Amino acid sequence: MKVLIFETAEAAEYAVAEIVASEVSTRPETVLGLATGGTMLPVYARLCALRSEGLSFAKVTSFNLDEYVGLSSQHPESYHSYMREVLFDHIDILPENCHLPKGDAADVRAECLAYEDKILAHGGIDLQLLGIGRNGHIGFNEPSSSLGSLTRVKTLTESTRQANAPYFTDQEAPKYAITMGIRTILNARTCVLLATSAAKAQAVAQAVEGPLSAICPASALQMHAKTTVVLDRSAAAELRHRDYYGQVHPHGAVHAL
Ligand code: PGA
């Protein structure tokens, strides 16, 4: 696991956008796994800016981690809408190449299986972006999620629903979501997890240095051969070995050996 610690959130966000941009420019047909949430907003804003500077997403395929059960793709609080608003409508990615689970599918279980098949049919995910919940979730894999799980429906915890509640003005935050599983995420060739702010410090410490455990689903990334964890100083605050990570990658710098 590469742990890159930046002084500020802006620097961490910029670094993640650069990782994605470099992937897209070196492999235009890459398959990206995308995440939602507040943490990713500056990353997507930077990618939109890079599009105006000439970066093309015309051959990129994307798969999002999750979607709320019961919300249509047009629902303003759906992740379909989030992705259109903050990224897809501002870059040249083809709509038919953007995949998210359908939250309003008549048969959600069949939708989960079909989503998993679709990822495989595209040759798997090359670069998976991840946020982390305060409870250690990745995607909507809440604590106690099977480390071997594939795309399926998960019941959201009360803390996750509370974290999402401010986004839902006209209704309660949904109770269920379709999410890629932990196994689905671990199947990605590369994972990049971004966490900023002190609110994430404990979850980050458990994920990076805690025991491998379903109670902190992000700890499953310890099993992944090519994961980069990108942090600002506040999100790194609870790491016992942060001095070491800083020695290996001073100020987040990655040096080829
Ligand atoms: P956030 O969500 O970026 O809004 O904090 C991250 C997550 O829950 O995975």
Side-chain angles (χ1 to χ4, degrees):
M1 207 181 249
K2 245 185 221 149
V3 181
L4 309 183
I5 304 172
F6 292 86
E7 205 48 40
T8 63
E10 290 75 19
E13 292 147 1
Y14 188 92
V16 170
E18 286 301 307
I19 292 171
V20 177
S22 150
E23 169 75 10
V24 170
S25 55
T26 51
R27 305 191 335 138
E29 294 179 18
T30 190
V31 179
L32 298 179
L34 299 178
T36 50
T39 309
M40 289 299 155
L41 291 173
V43 174
Y44 294 146
R46 174 76 189 135
L47 291 177
C48 295
L50 288 170
R51 167 65 201 131
S52 34
E53 290 169 24
L55 180 68
S56 177
F57 295 78
K59 294 182 181 165
V60 169
T61 298
S62 71
F63 285 92
N64 265 78
L65 283 165
D66 42 24
E67 179 58 285
Y68 293 112
V69 169
L71 301 198
S72 77
S73 62
Q74 297 307 316
H75 190 288
E77 267 74 60
S78 70
Y79 286 154
H80 282 78
S81 295
Y82 169 108
M83 290 307 303
R84 282 193 302 270
E85 281 162 27
V86 306
L87 185 67
F88 297 157
D89 285 355
H90 311 283
I91 60 174
D92 59 342
I93 195 166
L94 301 177
E96 60 269 34
N97 291 347
C98 302
H99 306 282
L100 290 94
K102 291 185 184 64
D104 60 348
D107 182 341
V108 281
R109 280 182 183 75
E111 171 64 14
C112 294
L113 295 174
Y115 199 66
E116 201 66 43
D117 286 346
K118 222 188 294 179
I119 294 171
L120 288 179
H122 282 82
I125 290 169
D126 293 308
L127 174 62
Q128 176 68 57
L129 280 185
L130 297 165
I132 184 170
R134 291 171 193 218
N135 63 5
H137 74 203
I138 43 176
F140 272 135
N141 293 285
E142 299 285 40
S144 83
S145 286
S146 160
L147 301 183
S149 51
L150 297 174
T151 303
R152 72 220 181 286
V153 173
K154 281 299 290 179
T155 304
L156 303 181
T157 60
E158 245 345 276
S159 72
T160 295
R161 291 186 74 203
Q162 275 169 21
N164 297 338
Y167 299 105
F168 289 86
T169 43
D170 294 340
Q171 65 177 92
E172 282 198 342
K175 221 172 164 171
Y176 304 101
I178 297 176
T179 181
M180 283 185 198
I182 304 278
R183 169 63 49 207
T184 320
I185 292 168
L186 293 181
N187 282 342
R189 290 178 189 92
T190 307
C191 290
V192 176
L193 184 146
L194 171 63
T196 51
S197 89
K200 301 294 173 68
Q202 226 171 5
V204 165
Q206 279 175 13
V208 175
E209 298 177 337
L212 174 65
S213 164
I215 290 304
C216 178
S219 67
L221 293 168
Q222 294 173 25
M223 296 287 292
H224 192 275
K226 229 177 148 205
T227 284
T228 301
V229 176
V230 182
L231 307 170
D232 68 353
R233 203 150 62 107
S234 309
E238 306 268 333
L239 289 168
R240 270 178 293 145
H241 299 282
R242 61 181 185 281
D243 291 347
Y244 170 66
Y245 310 134
Q247 279 166 27
V248 181
H249 302 291
H251 309 290
V254 179
H255 296 295
L257 287 179

